[in-house]
Amino acid sequence: MTESSGWHARLAELGIRLPPVAAPVASYVPAVRSGSLVFTSGQLPFVDGGLRRTGKVGGSVDVEAAAADAKVCALNALAAIDELVGLDSVARVVRVVGYVASAEGFTGQPRVVNGASEFLAKIFGDAGQHARSAIGVAELPLGAPVEVELTVELSA
């Protein structure tokens, strides 16, 4: 798959629909373009306007549920990119940053953020290979267990 084949077509092939862009919960925009890069704001696992769950990973939220939430965050980030520049203009995913609200002693942040990384690889193939950080934090906005931001490069 190349970007010229169309990422929207790939999403349709996978049975994935982009959700509406999540409304910001503070004073920022969902995504910003600078040159050939698009940076998304941190995306929470909103579905139909609400969080799927709240809590800390390694506590009330298990790793599998948090990884599924990371996938939703990545999907929400793709929706923000699509609204700003059109998803079909993406050449590659450059970087993923995942924040995981972690219970004391929890060290499995990379496994949680794999939910986003594996989802992006499924859509973009080789163009979905990216640099990444998986960071454990004490709290996230609205009590979310995970937050994900993306940086993508646009086609020339």
Side-chain angles (χ1 to χ4, degrees):
M1 162 73 62
T2 65
E3 69 275 0
S4 62
S5 311
W7 300 122
H8 278 284
R10 177 68 178 145
L11 289 174
E13 181 182 300
L14 294 170
I16 299 168
R17 294 178 50 102
L18 289 176
V21 176
V25 298
S27 182
Y28 60 89
V29 294
V32 151
R33 178 180 182 170
S34 180
S36 65
L37 298 176
V38 173
F39 302 84
T40 70
S41 296
Q43 298 292 313
L44 300 176
F46 284 121
V47 175
D48 297 326
L51 287 175
R52 293 179 70 181
R53 72 191 99 249
T54 60
K56 294 192 178 182
V57 185
S60 63
V61 179
D62 67 31
V63 171
E64 293 76 22
D69 287 346
K71 175 182 172 182
V72 171
C73 293
L75 183 63
N76 289 339
L78 293 178
I81 293 165
D82 188 53
E83 183 175 86
L84 182 67
V85 297
L87 198 60
D88 289 339
S89 66
V90 172
R92 68 166 294 118
V93 178
V94 176
R95 186 161 192 248
V96 172
V97 179
Y99 303 93
V100 180
S102 302
E104 187 174 341
F106 179 74
T107 60
Q109 292 83 5
R111 292 186 333 199
V112 172
V113 182
N114 278 350
S117 293
E118 291 167 2
F119 177 66
L120 294 167
K122 184 176 184 180
I123 295 167
F124 294 101
D126 288 344
Q129 297 298 310
H130 53 268
R132 188 180 92 175
S133 296
I135 304 160
V137 298
E139 299 289 342
L140 285 170
L142 307 177
V146 64
E147 179 176 350
V148 172
E149 59 186 57
L150 301 182
T151 303
V152 299
E153 182 179 10
L154 304 176
S155 302

